[in-house]
Amino acid sequence: MESSRESSDDMNRTNSNSNTTCSKTKSISFDVFENCLAKLINFYCYDDCKSYIVVQPNASELDVKYIDNQISYQDFVVQFLIPNLPCKFASHFTESWRSRKEWVNSEMKPNFSFLKEHFGMATVPVADCSQKVYNSQHKQEMYLKSYINYLETVKENDWDFTSKPCLYLKDWHFVRDFPGYSAYTTPIFFTSDWLNEYWKKRTDECDDYQFVYLGPKGSWTPFHADVFGSYSWSANVCGKKKWLLFPPGDEENLVDWKGEMAYDISSPLLKDKNCYPKASKLQRIGIEIIQEAGEVVFVPSGWFHQVWNLEDTISINHNWMNGFNLHLIWKNLFQALNSVEKEISDCKDMEGWSDHCQVVLKAHHGMNFKEFVEMLDCVGQRAAADVENFSQIKEAPSLHHYPWHSVLDLVLVVQGLKLVLKHPKISSDLFRTTSELLLQLQSTIQKVEHESSSKLLKKLI
C-alpha cells in the first residue's frame, strides 16, 4: 500500500493468515537469534534514531537474490530483514494456495467467471491510472462484477486505452470481506506481523493492511514508499509484473526543481536536468525485478518503488512491521510529526497545540504516538503471555509460539518503548502509560532471564 492513506476498512483475518506453519522450516532457537540481537544492539543502544548508522546498498552494485530452495526463517531474518534487503521467492512457496487454483483459468489467466460468481457483489476500490491526484491516482468504488466486465471489454480491444481509462483494482480488503474463504496462507517469513496483529485486536476502529490487487496489462502504481515505511510482500496469483526498486536515499535524487517527489519514473522528464537536477547522479534508475506467476517479492522498509502489470495480473499484498524494522517505523513517525508541526506552526500558541498535532499526524500519516505505543502494548502482552506459558507449549502452531521468538519480541518491544520515552514531545499521559508498560514487560523478561545464559539478552534488558 502506498504511503498516503486512502481508505479505512474493517479487519477480519482468517486462520489461514494468522496461524501459519511451515513443516520444512527449521525450528527456531534463541541461539540462532544471537546474531540478530548483536546487530540490533547497534541500533537500540543509541539515544535517538539520528544516531543510527546504516550502510545502505548501492543500486548499481546490488542484484536481488532469488530464493528457489527452502530457506529457514532465521536465515531470512539475518540475510534480508536486518540488512533491509529485497529478495524474490520462487513460485513453489505459493503453489498450495487456493487462490492459485480457483482464481486462475486453464490458460493461466484471471478466471473472471469464477471471480464474478463468488465475489461479484463486493464493493472494491479502483484507481484510474490516467488521472493524477497529488502524487497518487484518482480512486472510485465499483462492484467487482462491473470492474470485471470492464476488464473483459479491455481485453477484447487488445488493451487499447485510447477510448477507455486504465483502471486498476488496488487495496481491496479481501480477507475482511470474505473471512470464510482461505485464499492464501501467509508465508512463515512474513508472519511476525505486528501491524496486522494490532489491528486485529482493535475494536474501536476497523482497518488492516492485507490487500488483493487486480489489474489489466498496462496498469501501474506510481513511484512511492510503503505506508509508515513498512515492509511489504507481494505475491502474484497469476500474471507478470515489472518492479523498479530504489534503496533508501536514492529517492532524494528523484525530486524535481519544486521539491516534489517524482510521480512516474518512466517519464522522459527525468532526463531533463531543469526538471530533475539530481537524477543524473543515479548510476542506474532502479533495480529491476520481473515477477512471474506465483513468485513473491519482499520489499524492505523505506525502499521506493514503481510497479507495472505486464499482463492481466492478480496479486496479494501485505504491509507489515515487527521488531526488526521498528526503529525505521519510529523514525518515520517522528519525522512525520516534525512535518506536521512545521505545517501548522502558525497555530502554535493555541491551547492544546501538541494534542492537535497528534490528531493531524493520525490523519495524514495514518498513525500517531498513542497508536504506536498501543501497538507495542498489544505485541508485548501477547509475547509476555507466551513467555509465561512456556511450560505448556509442546508444539508451535505459529511463529509466535516458538518460545524464544516471543522472548525476542518482548525484548524488541521494550527497546521500542525506550525510544518513545526519549522523545522530548511525548505527552505526560503517554509518558506515564509507556513507563508503566515498560516496567511491566521488563519484569516479565527478568522472570525468564535465568533460563538463558545470553549476555546479549541481559544487556538489552
Side-chain angles (χ1 to χ4, degrees):
M1 182 179 181
E2 298 169 34
S3 56
S4 59
R5 300 296 311 279
E6 295 175 290
S7 63
S8 178
D9 300 281
D10 188 23
M11 172 65 187
N12 196 347
R13 300 169 66 193
T14 65
N15 290 336
S16 65
N17 295 108
S18 57
N19 295 325
T20 304
T21 59
C22 181
S23 60
K24 296 181 180 179
T25 303
K26 299 176 184 177
S27 297
I28 294 174
S29 66
F30 187 68
D31 292 340
V32 179
F33 280 110
E34 292 281 88
N35 188 24
C36 304
L37 289 170
K39 293 182 179 181
L40 286 165
I41 286 177
N42 292 330
F43 294 122
Y44 289 118
C45 289
Y46 291 114
D47 289 336
D48 57 56
C49 293
K50 295 179 181 179
S51 301
Y52 294 153
I53 302 174
V54 181
V55 178
Q56 296 294 354
N58 187 324
S60 64
E61 301 173 353
L62 180 64
D63 290 317
V64 175
K65 289 188 178 180
Y66 184 67
I67 301 174
D68 189 17
N69 299 318
Q70 284 293 337
I71 180 175
S72 70
Y73 175 80
Q74 303 96 304
D75 287 340
F76 177 71
V77 168
V78 172
Q79 294 178 33
F80 301 103
L81 285 189
I82 291 180
N84 205 41
L85 295 174
C87 63
K88 182 174 72 168
F89 290 85
S91 61
H92 65 76
F93 286 92
T94 64
E95 63 186 356
S96 64
W97 286 6
R98 183 178 179 183
S99 56
R100 288 198 61 197
K101 297 176 174 65
E102 297 182 347
W103 296 8
V104 184
N105 63 24
S106 59
E107 298 177 344
M108 304 308 293
K109 305 295 183 183
N111 190 335
F112 292 150
S113 297
F114 181 90
L115 294 172
K116 280 200 290 188
E117 178 182 352
H118 291 82
F119 316 119
M121 293 306 296
T123 301
V124 296
V126 176
D128 187 340
C129 298
S130 60
Q131 286 194 44
K132 179 181 176 181
V133 179
Y134 298 103
N135 250 31
S136 190
Q137 295 167 338
H138 174 72
K139 272 194 174 181
Q140 59 180 307
E141 289 190 337
M142 300 175 65
Y143 287 122
L144 179 64
K145 64 177 184 179
S146 300
Y147 177 69
I148 291 178
N149 289 339
Y150 154 83
L151 290 179
E152 290 173 329
T153 302
V154 166
K155 184 177 180 180
E156 290 174 359
N157 294 329
D158 198 27
W159 299 277
D160 182 359
F161 299 110
T162 55
S163 60
K164 285 186 175 293
C166 181
L167 302 181
Y168 190 4
L169 188 164
K170 299 196 296 184
D171 298 334
W172 177 20
H173 296 254
F174 178 86
V175 174
R176 174 208 67 191
D177 290 349
F178 298 94
Y181 185 95
S182 301
Y184 61 98
T185 302
T186 302
I188 193 172
F189 314 104
F190 316 131
T191 52
S192 180
D193 179 353
W194 294 8
L195 182 61
N196 287 297
E197 179 182 356
Y198 166 57
W199 280 102
K200 181 181 179 182
K201 295 288 186 182
R202 286 189 66 162
T203 58
D204 62 316
E205 190 175 342
C206 297
D207 206 350
D208 74 0
Y209 295 85
Q210 304 170 116
F211 310 106
V212 166
Y213 282 44
L214 168 59
K217 175 182 176 181
S219 54
W220 60 289
T221 300
F223 185 60
H224 70 283
D226 286 312
V227 62
F228 310 133
S230 62
Y231 298 134
S232 67
W233 64 266
S234 177
N236 281 357
V237 175
C238 63
K240 181 188 291 190
K241 292 185 178 184
K242 172 185 172 181
W243 295 69
L244 283 180
L245 273 66
F246 295 77
D250 276 13
E251 76 280 358
E252 296 173 6
N253 295 313
L254 295 169
V255 174
D256 68 15
W257 65 276
K258 295 180 291 185
E260 296 180 358
M261 190 62 66
Y263 173 71
D264 178 6
I265 53 175
S266 66
S267 169
L269 288 176
L270 261 72
K271 297 180 181 179
D272 186 340
K273 291 186 178 181
N274 293 321
C275 292
Y276 289 90
K278 297 181 180 180
S280 60
K281 294 182 179 181
L282 297 177
Q283 295 185 31
R284 68 174 177 178
I285 301 297
I287 302 162
E288 181 176 305
I289 300 175
I290 300 298
Q291 181 187 17
E292 303 284 352
E295 294 181 336
V296 186
V297 171
F298 166 64
V299 181
S301 281
W303 282 61
F304 275 71
H305 50 281
Q306 188 165 327
V307 190
W308 295 263
N309 289 322
L310 304 180
E311 300 174 358
D312 292 350
T313 301
I314 304 175
S315 64
I316 292 168
N317 309 270
H318 282 204
N319 295 109
W320 56 294
M321 62 183 71
N322 56 34
F324 298 113
N325 66 340
L326 189 65
H327 56 288
L328 300 174
I329 303 301
W330 174 246
K331 182 178 180 180
N332 271 280
L333 185 59
F334 79 66
Q335 286 180 341
L337 176 62
N338 291 341
S339 298
V340 167
E341 291 178 337
K342 183 178 180 180
E343 283 293 319
I344 60 174
S345 59
D346 56 331
C347 304
K348 197 170 185 177
D349 294 334
M350 69 178 285
E351 184 178 353
W353 182 75
S354 295
D355 292 339
H356 183 65
C357 287
Q358 290 293 322
V359 172
V360 177
L361 179 63
K362 162 66 177 175
H364 286 265
H365 188 65
M367 178 185 288
N368 57 23
F369 281 19
K370 179 175 178 290
E371 289 178 316
F372 183 81
V373 173
E374 287 177 349
M375 180 182 70
L376 296 182
D377 187 8
C378 171
V379 175
Q381 298 300 342
R382 182 265 303 157
D386 286 348
V387 167
E388 291 174 352
N389 293 320
F390 276 174
S391 61
Q392 301 176 22
I393 299 176
K394 296 180 180 179
E395 296 181 356
S398 71
L399 183 62
H400 293 157
H401 291 86
Y402 286 104
W404 285 117
H405 198 287
S406 295
V407 173
L408 180 65
D409 284 349
L410 205 52
V411 167
L412 298 179
V413 166
V414 163
Q415 299 313 313
L417 294 171
K418 289 179 179 179
L419 285 178
V420 175
L421 290 174
K422 290 173 182 176
H423 196 280
K425 296 177 182 177
I426 183 175
S427 69
S428 56
D429 286 346
L430 190 58
F431 184 90
R432 182 174 61 255
T433 301
T434 305
S435 298
E436 291 172 354
L437 177 59
L438 176 62
L439 290 174
Q440 175 202 341
L441 298 182
Q442 284 179 320
S443 176
T444 301
I445 294 176
Q446 289 165 1
K447 289 179 183 179
V448 298
E449 183 183 0
H450 69 277
E451 298 178 9
S452 172
S453 60
S454 170
K455 296 180 180 179
L456 290 173
L457 179 61
K458 292 177 172 62
K459 181 174 183 180
L460 283 169
I461 292 172

